[in-house]
Each structure stands twice: as structure tokens, then as C-alpha cells.
Amino acid sequence: MAAAAAAAELALVKPISYKFGRPSAGARRGGASLVVRMSSAAPPLPPAAKTARPKKAPKNTQIKETLLTPRFYTTDFDEMESLFNTEINKNLNEAEFEALLNEFKTDYNQTHFVRNPEFKEAADKIQGPLRQIFVEFLERSCTAEFSGFLLYKELGRRLKKTNPVVAEIFSLMSRDEARHAGFLNKGLSDFNLALDLGFLTKARKYTFFKPKFIFYATYLSEKIGYWRYITIYRHLQANPEFQVYPIFKYFENWCQDENRHGDFFSALMKAQPQFLNDWKAKLWSRFFCLSVYVTMYLNDCQRTAFYEGIGLDTKEFDMHVIIETNRTTARIFPAVPDVENPEFKRKLDRMVEINEKLIAVGESQDLPLVKNLKKVPLIAALVSEILAAYLMPPLESGSVDFAEFEPQLVY
């Protein structure tokens, strides 16, 4: 379970053809955000008050961490160097990587992430439970983007001598991730909060993944990010009355960064056919797909108030994202889950019910021993559902020649 959550958190062809449902009444908010150090900034005081009162130290807020919160990652950098050594690996298509590098150097979004007064004005209008939900969304998103920045930055540094072209691409992707994280952190300032990213770098534990697992998980993370962002953007363009905060207006260009990153990882896997062409690759591909899809579904169903606040039906939104991500992923992974089988969604919904019971037990006033005893059958039931979903007949898929099918994006 922990491995699956870690895999998923490494973790938005055609526009949607149906309309998402309107929010239902009585949305519940669940789950918890990250353990992060935060500085809470009070509204500015008048000049006279500033001289009369000493400055207060920033307030640190500790927020509970759960199994499903974003994590930081590290890998075997020596193995990475050998994978991209052109003398060892003859499958590397340098011309393809040169073309990708030129794409990243163009930096289509260099001037895209520019804020305006609309951000603060919109944040001040968001009150009540929805305000806290927005803070959680910004925290989690910022932490996930910053995690990508750290990993890509280190890979860019370590591969500089072995393969300067691939190293520069990683460095440029870290530029994108840093830009996203900074933009999200600025969004938190609209709510009088800020993530201490320097503190996060030093304080958080790092999860180790072998390079091939980094490829699987990060590819999925980038592609599912593309489908999440573009779906939200298109929905709000069609339903502007739910445009409660201007950050969503930036998602169209933003998601193209995610798509480019995913295309790069497609090229990396294409250059390492041993990660795609045997029975173990099929098992791992299905495992990572299922881990990412299940984790997203459970996470989002704990935060239905956020999605309903912007006019989305959480489960419809998630299934649309899962289906589109799975179709995209099937073009490179050798096997994927059959997510369009109605039984797959039924299993996801049963997992949500079990997870809600686990949360209720954790929040109860029972003694720790009693809580643990109550959790045992629920955890067993959850694992059983995940295993049953994994054992569903998969879809045979995959092609190392992915150039023809990637979406054509207009910048």
C-alpha cells in the first residue's frame, strides 16, 4: 500500500464530449494536507500602528501528513548516468533529444505566469470551508511541483558530463517546475500564507525509486497532470460562473508544460526498450497505472468540496481524467488497466467507501489500540479491492514509435 501511494504521488486527444454534473448539496470535506512549515502573514497595519507595536514572528502551522500526501524522490544517479552514456547505450537517439531540447529552449511560457490584482481580490471573496480547501489545493500542488524541481535539478547536475543534451533538458524541466511552484506559492500569499520551501528541502524525507520506476511514475504524473489541467480549463471556459480564482485561467498553457515533460519521458523509455518489452514491464506498467489512478480517486473523493466549488462532479471528472490518461499511456506502456470496464469504476467506488470508514476510525475518540484493531479488516478489504482491480484482464498496448499519436498543441 505504501509503495503504491509512493508510486502514485510521484504524481491533467479530444475535448470532453459530455458535460460534468453540477455540484450536489451537502458536500463533505475530508482528508488532510501536508506537514509543512508555513508563515502566516497578518494584514498590513496602518503606519501609526506599525511603530507602536513590535513585529510578531511568523506563525508556524503544522498540518497533518497522510499516506496520500505528495512526497520527495531520489534515485540511483550512478545507474542514471550509465543509462544515458552514449558509449554504453547505443539506443539513444541523439537527434530526437536535440529536437526536444530545442522545444524546451523555446520556453513558450516564459512570460505566461504573470499575476494581477484579480488574484488577491478573488481570494478575499473565498470564505468558509471552501477557503481552506483552496489552501490545501495550493499547498499540495506547490509541494508536488517543488518535488519535481528538486529531482530534475539534481538529474541535470549529475548527467552534465555523461550526456549534456539530456542534462540540459532536465535542467529546463526543473525551470518549469520551479516556475509552477513559485506561482502556486504566490497564490498562497493571497490567503496570507506561504510555504517555506527551503525548510521543506531540508526537513522532508526522500523516497527512493530505481530509475525505471522514476520513468514510469513521472511519465504518468506529467500526463495525468496534463489531463487534469486541460479538463478544468475547458470546463471553466464553458462555465465561467465557477471561475472563482484566476489561477485556473493559466491552466491551458500550464498543462502544455506537463505534456512536454511527459513527451520527454516517452523518449527516455523509448531509448530503454528493456523497460517496455518484457513480461515484467507489463506487470510494472499496470501497477504504476493502477497506483496513480487509485490514489488520485481516493484523494479527490476526500476533497469533493473543492471540485464542487468549481462546478465539477468529482467522480465524473476523475473518471474522465483516468480514461484519457490511460488512452495516452497505452501508446507507450506495454499493458494498461481496462479502466473503461464498468467494473473498474465500481471497484474504485468501493475503495472510496472503505477509505471513508478508515478516516472515520482514525478521527474517532477510541483508544489507539481499539482504532488499530478496527482498521485491520478495513485495510484488508482495501488491499483486496486493489488486488482485484490489478488482476482484472488488462489491455495489451504499447508502441515505442510514439511520434505520430502525441496531441498537437497550439501555443
Side-chain angles (χ1 to χ4, degrees):
M1 182 71 176
E9 285 294 353
L10 222 168
L12 207 173
V13 178
K14 291 182 180 180
I16 52 178
S17 58
Y18 58 86
K19 292 184 179 180
F20 292 103
R22 290 296 178 91
S24 59
R28 71 177 289 274
R29 174 184 159 255
S33 208
L34 307 168
V35 174
V36 290
R37 189 166 111 183
M38 303 180 64
S39 57
S40 179
L45 295 170
K50 286 183 179 178
T51 57
R53 297 179 185 176
K55 285 187 177 179
K56 291 184 179 180
K59 180 182 175 183
N60 293 332
T61 304
Q62 294 293 320
I63 306 173
K64 198 164 131 191
E65 183 173 4
T66 73
L67 185 65
L68 300 180
T69 53
R71 304 179 191 284
F72 287 1
Y73 295 87
T74 187
T75 190
D76 185 336
F77 294 105
D78 292 333
E79 184 181 344
M80 279 286 193
E81 287 181 31
S82 66
L83 288 174
F84 295 110
N85 189 318
T86 52
E87 296 179 3
I88 298 173
N89 187 348
K90 303 301 182 183
N91 292 314
L92 290 174
N93 186 336
E94 287 299 304
E96 186 172 25
F97 287 118
E98 288 280 3
L100 284 166
L101 176 58
N102 289 332
E103 181 82 359
F104 279 101
K105 282 182 174 179
T106 304
D107 196 6
Y108 296 100
N109 287 334
Q110 184 177 13
T111 59
H112 178 62
F113 295 95
V114 179
R115 286 165 49 85
N116 56 54
E118 186 182 353
F119 279 80
K120 180 61 177 171
E121 294 168 4
D124 290 342
K125 293 176 183 177
I126 302 173
Q127 298 299 328
L130 186 60
R131 185 177 179 87
Q132 181 55 36
I133 287 287
F134 261 84
V135 169
E136 286 187 11
F137 160 73
L138 292 169
E139 287 170 357
R140 295 173 65 85
S141 300
C142 181
T143 304
E145 297 282 359
F146 189 66
S147 170
F149 157 73
L150 292 175
L151 178 65
Y152 296 160
K153 180 183 178 184
E154 184 62 16
L155 284 167
R157 188 182 71 83
R158 292 293 295 266
L159 296 174
K160 194 172 290 186
K161 292 182 180 178
T162 306
N163 193 316
V165 173
V166 170
E168 189 172 0
I169 293 175
F170 273 118
S171 295
L172 292 175
M173 290 201 305
S174 75
R175 168 206 67 194
D176 296 341
E177 301 291 302
R179 186 179 284 158
H180 301 164
F183 194 66
L184 288 158
N185 209 11
K186 275 289 188 181
L188 278 169
S189 71
D190 297 327
F191 296 85
N192 301 320
L193 298 165
L195 284 179
D196 187 339
L197 298 177
F199 175 80
L200 276 181
T201 305
K202 298 173 184 176
R204 285 191 66 83
K205 294 179 181 178
Y206 286 71
T207 300
F208 177 85
F209 268 10
K210 289 176 66 66
K212 71 175 180 179
F213 299 151
I214 289 284
F215 292 167
Y216 296 146
T218 310
Y219 171 83
L220 279 165
S221 172
E222 299 290 0
K223 288 300 183 180
I224 208 166
Y226 167 79
W227 282 111
R228 286 175 67 85
Y229 288 172
I230 196 62
T231 302
I232 290 173
Y233 175 82
R234 288 169 178 165
H235 163 71
L236 293 176
Q237 287 294 297
N239 302 277
E241 68 272 22
F242 291 108
Q243 187 78 255
V244 295
Y245 188 61
I247 199 167
F248 303 118
K249 296 177 181 179
Y250 292 72
F251 275 13
E252 184 180 34
N253 287 41
W254 190 331
C255 76
Q256 291 167 11
D257 280 346
E258 311 294 330
N259 203 50
R260 276 188 290 274
H261 295 182
D263 291 348
F264 173 60
F265 279 98
S266 291
L268 294 185
M269 288 186 283
K270 178 180 171 184
Q272 308 294 336
Q274 72 273 20
F275 296 163
L276 298 171
N277 63 7
D278 62 12
W279 63 271
K280 289 184 289 186
K282 290 184 177 183
L283 294 178
W284 282 118
S285 295
R286 290 163 55 196
F287 169 79
F288 276 90
C289 285
L290 184 63
S291 299
V292 169
Y293 302 159
V294 168
T295 303
M296 183 186 76
Y297 203 81
L298 294 182
N299 259 326
D300 288 352
C301 286
Q302 291 179 41
R303 296 166 176 82
T304 55
F306 171 78
Y307 297 97
E308 292 182 354
I310 57 174
L312 288 169
D313 179 288
T314 307
K315 290 183 177 181
E316 285 187 18
F317 166 72
D318 272 21
M319 283 310 301
H320 170 72
V321 169
I322 288 170
I323 288 169
E324 294 297 346
T325 302
N326 206 56
R327 289 174 179 173
T328 302
T329 302
R331 296 160 180 167
I332 188 71
F333 279 20
V336 294
D338 185 5
V339 301
E340 296 181 63
N341 183 332
E343 182 57 26
F344 184 81
K345 184 177 185 301
R346 284 194 286 270
K347 291 185 184 303
L348 288 179
D349 288 337
R350 286 196 288 270
M351 292 178 210
V352 169
E353 292 173 8
I354 297 167
N355 193 49
E356 287 175 348
K357 291 177 182 177
L358 277 168
I359 293 170
V361 170
E363 293 175 349
S364 70
Q365 300 301 313
D366 292 333
L367 294 172
L369 177 61
V370 176
K371 286 185 181 182
N372 290 336
L373 290 173
K374 288 182 177 180
K375 285 180 178 180
V376 170
L378 293 172
I379 292 173
L382 185 57
V383 171
S384 176
E385 288 291 348
I386 293 172
L387 182 60
Y390 183 78
L391 294 176
M392 287 177 63
L395 299 176
E396 298 290 322
S397 59
S399 169
V400 295
D401 184 13
F402 65 95
E404 296 179 0
F405 57 73
E406 289 296 341
Q408 297 298 309
L409 299 175
V410 179
Y411 299 104

